[in-house]
Every structure is written in C-alpha cells, then in structure tokens.
Amino acid sequence: MEDVISYALEDNIAVVAIDSPPVNALGLAVRRGLVDAIAKAENDGAKAVLIYAEGRTFPAGADIREFGKPPQEPILPDVCARIEASDVLVVAALHGTALGGGLEVALGADYRIAAPGTRVGMPEVLIGLLPGAGGTQRLPRLIGVEKAIDVITSGRQVGAAEALDMGIIDRIDNESPREAGLAYTRDLLAQDAPRRPISAMPAPTPVDFDAAYDAALKKARGQISPSYAVRGIQAACELEFAEGMARERALFRELMETDQRAALIHAFFGERAVSSLPELKGVTPRPVASVGIIGGGTMGAGIATAALLSGLEVVLLEMTEDAADAAKGRIVKSILGAVKRGKIDQARFDHLTGTALKLSTDYDALAKVDLVIEAVFEDMGVKKQVFAKLDAVCKPGAVLATNTSYLDVNEIAAATSRPGDVIGLHFFSPAYVMKLLEVVVAERTATDVVATGFALGKKLGKVSVRAGVCDGFIGNRILLAYRTAADHMVLEGASPFQIDRVMLDFGFAMGPFQVGDLAGLDIGWATRKRLAPTRDPRERVPTYADKLCEQGHLGQKTGRGYYIYGDGAAKENPEVLTLIDAERDALGITPREFSDDEILRRYMCAMVNEGARVVGEGIARRPLDVDMVFLTGYGFPRYRGGPMKWADMQGLKRILDDINTFAEADSYFWQPAPLLTELVAQGKTFDDLNKET
Ligand code: 3HC
Ligand code: NAI
C-alpha cells in the first residue's frame, strides 16, 4: 500500500484514510493507493469501505502539478470507476474542501457524509478545465442538469447545508470524518442499504443546451472552459454513461492543450508564489491588532473598511471634524453593503462601526496603534509633514506605511528618525474589493516590516506583491507606458473609443480611457504636470486630455470625461474627438487608420516591454509578480495569465520584432528593454526566470 494511504479493518469495515498534505491532492500515489485499498477490502471480505482524509481536507482535487505531463495510470476517471464498480458498499466522509477530483471520488462512492463546515465544488473551469473524472456525467444524474450547470460552470464552493439540500451529500455530522463516517457506515449496514452507483441512475432531463452554452460563453467573456463544461453535461443527457465519459475525456483533453489552461494554472500558482520570498523565510512579522489610518477620503475610508471587516481595530485621523464625519459616512456605507450582501449581521455591523472604529483629529490618538497607513493627498510636502508627526507620536516598533501611488518612499522614510519601520502599502480602489496590495520595500525597510506588510495583506485577503521603489512601482509605472502608447495611437489616428473596444474584446474589464474616467482624469493630469520638468524633449505627450480637465470634466465624478455619464449606459463624448482633431491639426498630423490588431499589438508590446524593464531593474522580483499585479489590480483577463505569460505564449521574438518595427517611427518611446533583448538572444522565456528564483 502507498504510504499516503492507510488501511485498517474495523468491524468488517475497511477504513481507508488519505494522508497526503497539504490538501490531499489526488496525485499518482494517492490514486494507486485508493485502487489497491478497494481491492484489498474486497479480498478481505469487508462489508463496506469508508474513505476519508487526514489533515485539513478531503482531497481538494487532482494534483494540478501533474498537468501538462503525460498522465500516469491509474488515471482519476478509472479510480472513480473502480470505486463505483466495487460490489462492496462505499461511503465517503468529507471535510474541508472536497473539490474537483475530490468530489468526483466522493461521487464514485454510494453514500456521502460531511462535516458541517465542508465546502464541495467543481472548480476545474477556474483553471481552464472541466471536471474530468466523471463530474459532468455523475453530478447532473445526482442533482439535475440546472443545478449541475450552476455548480460546474461557476466553479463555486457549495456549503454543506446547500450540498445536503441539493442531494450532493446525504448527511451532515459534527464528529470527526473518521468517527462520523464509521457511524454512518454502520447505520447503512444495519439498514441493509443498497449500493447506489450514480452511473446507473437514469439520464437526467435535458435543458436548452445551446442557450446554456451561449450564456456560459457570454458570462465568461472569452474564457471557454465553462461553455465546454455545458457540452459535457449535455453528453450526460444524450449519451450512454460510458460514451458520456468518453466525451467528457475528449473535452477535458482538448482544454488541457489550450493556452487558457496554461494561463489560468499560471495564475493559480502565481498568486501563491508572490508571497513566498526567500528573504522572509523564518522572519516573524510584528503583531498587528490595531491600525491607524491618516486621511479618510476614497482610499483611507476603503482601507479602513477592509481592515475592520478583517477584524482589526481602526483609528482614523482626519484634518477636521467635518472631514472625519464624512470619512465615517463612507465607511458606514461600505460596511452596510457587507450587511446587505449577507456577509455580516447587524450586531457585527454595530461593533465594526462602533467600538472597533475611532475617529480623531488629534495625532495623540495614534500613540498605541501597531501599524499606520497614510492615505492623504498625493503631495510630497504633505506626506513628509504627516510622517514627521507620526515619528513623534507612534510607539516604538509601530510600522509606518504610505499608500502613495507614485511618490518616493525613500524620501518619505527620510522624514522620520526610523526609516527601518517605513514601507509602502499600495492599495487599489475600492480597497475593500480589489485583491492587489503592492508591498513597496524602500532602501532601509527592515525585513520584519516587509514580513508584516505581507502578513497584513494575508489578513485582509489580498494578493501581496513585493515592489521596489520607482515612479509608480510595478503597476502604475507599466500603466503609464501603455497609456502613453495608447495616447500616441490617438494622436496618429485611432479614437479612444476604438482602443477601449479592442482592449475590452481582448478581455480587459475596462478599456484604458474608461479606467481614466473611473479613476478621475485629474490623476493623469497631475502626473503629467509632475513629470513635465524632467521630461525628455523627444517625448510626445498629448494635451487634449488636459483641456478636458481644464473645463472641469474629470470623468465619472463630474459626469463627463471621455464618456458622458447619466442614466443608463455611458455614451461616447463627441467633444473629445473635436479636441483630438484640433491637436492633430496643430501638430500637422494627418490621421491614419489603425486596425484592431495593430492597436492590440502596440498596447501589449508597450506593457510587456515596460514589464521587462521593471523585472530587469529588480522593481518586480520575477515576471510572475508583474503578471499577478495585472490580474489582481488592473483587470487583465485571468485566462491570458498576465502580460508576461501572454508574451511568452506569443513568442518573445515576435514581441521584440514588433517593438523594433514600431521604433522605426519613434525610436525614443520604443526602446527594447535590455532583459527582453537578452531573453530573445538566449532563446529563453519569462517563465524560465520564474523557475530560476
Ligand atoms: N494540486 C496541487 N497542489 C495544490 C492543489 C491541487 N489541486 N490545491 C492546492 N494545492 C497546494 C497549493 O499550491 C499550496 O501549495 P504551497 O503551500 O506550496 O503554496 C497548498 O496546496 C495549500 O493551498 P492554498 O495555499 O491555496 O490553501 P488554502 O487553504 O488557501 O486553499 C484550497 C485551499 C481551497 C483547496 C485551494 O488550494 C484551492 O482552491 N485549490 C485548488 C482546487 C482545484 O482547483 N481543484 C480542482 C483541481 S483539477 C481536477 O480536480 C481535475 C479533475 O476533474 C480531473
Ligand atoms: P482623497 O482626496 O479622496 O482623500 C484624501 C483625504 O486625506 C481627504 O479626506 C483629506 O481630508 C485627508 N487629508 C489630507 N491631508 C491630511 C492630513 N494632513 N491629515 C489628515 N488627513 C488629511 O484622496 P485618495 O484618492 O483617497 O488618495 C489618497 C492617497 O492614496 C494618495 O496618496 C493617492 O495617490 C493614493 N492612492 C489613490 C488611489 C485612488 O484610486 N484614488 C489608489 C491608490 C493609492
């Protein structure tokens, strides 16, 4: 027997325990062990088999690390079939997260029992696949097509109570999986309960599968796995079980070969790899129970909301009583949203907006907090004053963080007598929704302060990415580059609306000009003004957007920017085109046509090139850090894996060739990043660098 499986006979019940930390994934050894255990139980004349798992969870799925390698037998569908075909009664006792292949193993059993906190689901579509061990065939037979489509195409985790209601599990029990499973198995044996192979259940009633397919395709905005899953479920209705399984296998294999699958698995592991940094191994973060926040505007209030919802106490400092009241109003409104969505109850709301939250206009209120996040105006003078005051009042060892978007964290740290305690914690708006946190490490930031930034990110449920100090850190610096490429295209003849459409079609949540309107056009305006004194004369910077700002049109917040906002969908603002025409006339530019393909290539090349520069300079540790910034903070389509993964899949040579072609007309902007040139020369990919570190 494999050492990841233990086997014991107890009162004629073969007790089979899976023990393969951390999540009991169904790797080769577990699969072999399960098949052997069933055979042994049969040989031993056991009356029933109980399958459960040690540790934190019933198997959370197939072993994703095996994907992309040749499958080794027994493959999971055969394991599930072997369990189901046994003439011995099989019971699965679930706990933790019984997901994907884990749930499929459980569906091979005759009966299922679960601990109250168990979550079951089939998240395969989220990694670009579909359930490939009978999930698309057995689940609809068990719970009906509509519910199976919901569970499988969403990939969502279903709680134990709902799973019981749906019929995915048969009983909930508080005892340990082993004890609960044994008691249930004894009950079933006492009742002489029949075997209940799902494959023998009648084919489920079909629905309008073409409509379900279209709906899944539309909802996934370009990601194909959910719509493939619909076709798999359709096969359960239309084909004999064995043929349905063959169809599922064919669809699974097809998806396994796609770039989308590779990209989504890159995203899965990338999100976990970003916070695993060698220098933080064994470093204890400073304890953080209370957080001070300076400034309760858009960001301060959002960060306060995120902190409160994660169980931290918050002291928020504003300039005046009125501003503090306004900040409280913003926080209460967003926490009320959590009540409305059923995330928290009224008592929790009262606590979070009552005792857990203090507002003040006096710095002394921050004397005891463990960590402070400054979110005042983006102005170096103001920030330095704030940090000097924090230095005077905060207790020794308190972490002093700035949420600045662009400014030099070294300079901010130098305004204190304790630069080792100073760090950048760059949140994204709305801070209680957006997953990204850039942990900006300044020259003198202490390692345990960095560890504290990552620990805070984890507590807040963020994907934390280490960034070095430069103008805009990882994300905003790269954003500036591709926004500039977009601005150049506009000057030369493309319209902002065409560019937005192309990027939406690519899968971005929003186009760059829509993002500008959402964030406020004054942000870009301020950046242009800030960079003007040091700007190279060869740099081309359009001024039409400044004119919009001068007229008071700052985007969504003023009702007008590139688009006009009112009731219903936003409309294109025709005045923008007039301003652009005027600027082209003034510059003597004759506008030319841009194909959608050229727009995409220029936009993406600018993003990838700056990404390569950011990695080359050590601002981002690895290409995957850039990818995770874009997936979690900039609406980059997850199924494309991030800009660097996307570039690898295009071929870096092609990207470099494009950049060199674009450079023929503008050699200042289109300078290939040294790292990109180097990788192409060596025939390497960005992913090779991910593996090296
Ligand atoms: N295969 C391999 N490794 C896995 C894994 C899997 N299915 N699921 C999790 N892991 C690893 C993680 O990479 C991580 O490793 P690390 O410590 O080295 O970084 C470790 O297990 C712990 O995972 P998390 O940090 O994510 O722990 P959480 O407690 O936050 O989350 C979880 C646990 C909800 C199970 C989450 O890991 C998860 O969602 N896992 C993926 C589930 C999934 O997609 N299952 C379907 C797989 S595909 C399949 O089953 C195909 C089949 O139909 C044929
Ligand atoms: P905001 O203008 O909405 O809020 C700033 C708040 O700070 C105001 O409420 C103001 O009263 C208060 N304030 C100013 N000086 C203060 C002081 N000395 N003491 C106490 N309170 C003071 O600005 P926003 O958008 O919240 O930005 C804050 C910071 O966060 C900036 O550094 C910005 O660059 C950064 N940021 C902004 C993002 C965004 O999307 N808005 C995203 C990420 C970072």
Side-chain angles (χ1 to χ4, degrees):
M1 190 84 47
E2 304 284 342
D3 59 4
V4 290
I5 300 281
S6 69
Y7 176 98
L9 261 184
E10 194 155 323
D11 302 340
N12 276 335
I13 299 172
V15 181
V16 178
I18 304 168
D19 191 5
S20 179
V23 296
N24 288 311
L26 294 149
L28 178 62
V30 176
R31 297 198 303 273
R32 273 193 190 139
L34 282 174
V35 170
D36 291 350
I38 296 287
K40 184 160 172 49
E42 289 166 353
N43 280 340
D44 289 348
K47 289 214 169 67
V49 177
L50 167 66
I51 302 175
Y52 79 98
E54 295 290 349
R56 62 202 248 200
T57 183
F58 197 77
D63 190 337
I64 303 175
R65 287 169 211 274
E66 289 182 356
F67 293 169
K69 300 176 191 156
Q72 280 186 281
E73 296 197 342
I75 58 171
L76 198 55
D78 295 345
V79 176
C80 298
R82 178 69 183 89
I83 294 170
E84 196 188 51
S86 174
D87 51 14
V88 179
L89 190 83
V90 183
V91 175
L94 319 182
H95 75 292
T97 41
L99 302 176
L103 183 56
E104 289 172 307
V105 164
L107 294 180
D110 297 292
Y111 296 90
R112 285 156 292 279
I113 182 169
T118 309
R119 285 170 291 144
V120 303
M122 302 225 166
E124 287 89 341
V125 297
L126 306 179
I127 50 171
L129 291 168
L130 48 69
T136 64
Q137 305 305 297
R138 288 195 180 88
L139 195 63
R141 279 181 165 78
L142 190 64
I143 66 173
V145 168
E146 276 172 24
K147 287 186 184 129
I149 288 180
D150 162 38
V151 171
I152 293 176
T153 63
S154 69
R156 75 186 173 93
Q157 294 183 7
V158 178
E162 191 186 354
L164 183 68
D165 201 42
M166 283 183 176
I168 298 177
I169 57 171
D170 305 296
R171 190 189 273 198
I172 298 179
D173 193 319
N174 239 332
E175 288 296 323
S176 70
R178 188 177 193 281
E179 294 316 312
L182 270 172
Y184 185 40
T185 310
R186 287 189 187 111
D187 281 0
L188 290 166
L189 288 174
Q191 291 160 26
D192 223 359
R195 284 188 54 241
R196 211 177 43 160
I198 297 176
S199 64
M201 291 180 182
T205 312
V207 297
D208 180 346
F209 280 108
D210 287 345
Y213 175 90
D214 289 344
L217 202 55
K218 186 160 177 239
K219 194 163 170 221
R221 301 197 54 239
Q223 189 183 324
I224 57 174
S225 51
S227 55
Y228 269 56
V230 170
R231 292 301 183 214
I233 297 168
Q234 182 172 5
C237 299
E238 295 174 356
L239 304 175
E240 290 297 322
F241 185 80
E243 288 171 43
M245 285 298 293
R247 174 90 178 114
E248 178 192 89
R249 194 85 207 132
L251 290 166
F252 182 82
R253 285 218 174 110
E254 214 179 298
L255 286 175
M256 190 62 95
E257 297 308 314
T258 59
D259 282 352
Q260 292 198 359
R261 191 275 303 164
L264 286 161
I265 289 183
H266 170 70
F268 178 84
F269 286 120
E271 278 182 3
R272 284 155 181 82
V274 277
S275 52
S276 127
L277 299 175
E279 68 270 29
L280 298 185
K281 292 249 149 61
V283 178
T284 311
R286 298 183 187 175
V288 175
S290 58
V291 174
I293 294 171
I294 323 285
T298 311
M299 291 311 291
I303 297 166
T305 304
L308 287 164
L309 287 171
S310 307
L312 295 165
E313 286 181 12
V314 170
V315 181
L316 191 143
L317 195 88
E318 257 293 352
M319 291 200 286
T320 61
E321 296 287 344
D322 283 352
D325 285 347
K328 177 153 187 183
R330 280 189 274 275
I331 296 168
V332 167
K333 194 171 160 212
S334 39
I335 296 187
L336 205 54
V339 179
K340 285 188 188 139
R341 287 191 305 277
K343 298 256 182 229
I344 57 167
D345 60 15
Q346 186 64 38
R348 183 97 188 120
F349 171 83
D350 293 343
H351 171 71
L352 295 184
T353 55
T355 36
L357 171 65
K358 290 192 183 55
L359 289 115
S360 180
T361 55
D362 181 356
Y363 271 81
D364 287 342
L366 299 169
K368 290 196 182 127
V369 297
D370 302 313
L371 180 145
V372 182
I373 302 169
E374 163 280 309
V376 304
F377 303 132
E378 185 77 339
D379 178 297
M380 184 54 93
V382 179
K383 303 238 186 227
K384 280 184 171 172
Q385 276 174 20
V386 168
F387 273 78
K389 284 187 197 149
L390 290 176
D391 193 20
V393 298
C394 288
K395 67 181 184 188
V399 172
L400 310 181
T402 172
N403 181 47
T404 180
S405 306
Y406 293 93
L407 301 177
D408 183 346
V409 184
N410 291 320
E411 196 176 336
I412 295 173
T416 72
S417 64
R418 35 174 141 173
D421 294 342
V422 178
I423 192 165
L425 290 178
H426 184 212
F427 289 82
F428 288 73
S429 180
Y432 53 95
V433 177
M434 296 298 287
K435 290 292 253 184
L436 177 61
L437 176 67
E438 282 182 330
V439 178
V440 185
V441 180
E443 266 162 29
R444 297 175 65 184
T445 309
T447 311
D448 66 336
V449 170
V450 181
T452 311
F454 276 94
L456 179 74
K458 187 160 192 200
K459 186 155 180 74
L460 301 183
K462 305 290 178 204
V463 172
S464 307
V465 181
R466 183 199 183 282
V469 176
C470 67
D471 206 282
F473 316 122
I474 299 176
N476 282 346
R477 170 165 161 187
I478 297 173
L479 166 75
L480 185 64
Y482 63 82
R483 264 307 305 247
T484 303
D487 285 339
H488 289 171
M489 287 191 271
V490 168
L491 279 182
E492 289 165 24
S495 91
F497 312 120
Q498 186 191 2
I499 295 175
D500 274 355
R501 187 182 46 71
V502 171
M503 297 326 297
L504 279 175
D505 288 350
F506 178 77
F508 268 94
M510 295 174 98
F513 298 95
Q514 292 169 319
V515 170
D517 273 2
L518 177 71
L521 299 182
D522 45 329
I523 295 185
W525 194 25
T527 308
R528 286 191 291 279
K529 284 194 246 180
R530 181 166 50 81
L531 298 179
T534 53
R535 188 170 289 143
D536 190 291
R538 289 168 292 176
E539 208 171 317
R540 292 185 288 153
V541 182
T543 58
Y544 70 90
D546 298 351
K547 301 215 169 67
L548 274 179
C549 295
E550 283 157 16
Q551 292 165 13
H553 301 320
L554 303 180
Q556 283 195 22
K557 61 185 165 190
T558 60
R560 192 178 275 256
Y562 289 98
Y563 296 84
I564 300 170
Y565 302 88
D567 296 335
K571 292 195 223 33
E572 295 172 5
N573 181 0
E575 204 186 328
V576 170
L577 299 178
T578 313
L579 289 173
I580 294 168
D581 277 339
E583 186 160 354
R584 287 180 192 144
D585 282 348
L587 294 168
I589 297 172
T590 310
R592 69 173 175 94
E593 286 277 315
F594 275 79
S595 69
D596 289 356
D597 181 56
E598 182 177 357
I599 288 177
L600 179 68
R601 280 163 50 208
R602 284 180 177 266
Y603 195 87
M604 291 304 299
C605 281
M607 194 182 298
V608 171
N609 199 36
E610 194 64 17
R613 226 173 249 135
V614 159
V615 174
E617 291 171 19
I619 299 298
R621 190 55 74 77
R622 301 148 295 190
L624 71 83
D625 296 69
V626 173
D627 285 338
M628 296 313 120
V629 164
F630 276 84
L631 296 188
T632 55
Y634 291 80
F636 195 99
R638 193 173 166 90
Y639 64 83
R640 295 194 191 274
M644 315 309 269
K645 183 74 183 173
W646 179 85
D648 273 351
M649 293 189 297
Q650 300 298 304
L652 296 190
K653 166 97 173 52
R654 192 176 152 199
I655 306 279
L656 183 61
D657 287 348
D658 270 351
I659 292 173
N660 284 328
T661 308
F662 303 150
E664 287 166 14
D666 181 353
S667 60
Y668 175 73
F669 180 73
W670 292 106
Q671 297 175 37
L675 179 64
L676 181 62
T677 312
E678 208 178 292
L679 288 174
V680 171
Q682 296 170 350
K684 283 189 171 173
T685 62
F686 287 126
D687 219 25
D688 291 330
L689 299 182
N690 291 330
K691 288 177 195 130
E692 277 170 17
T693 40

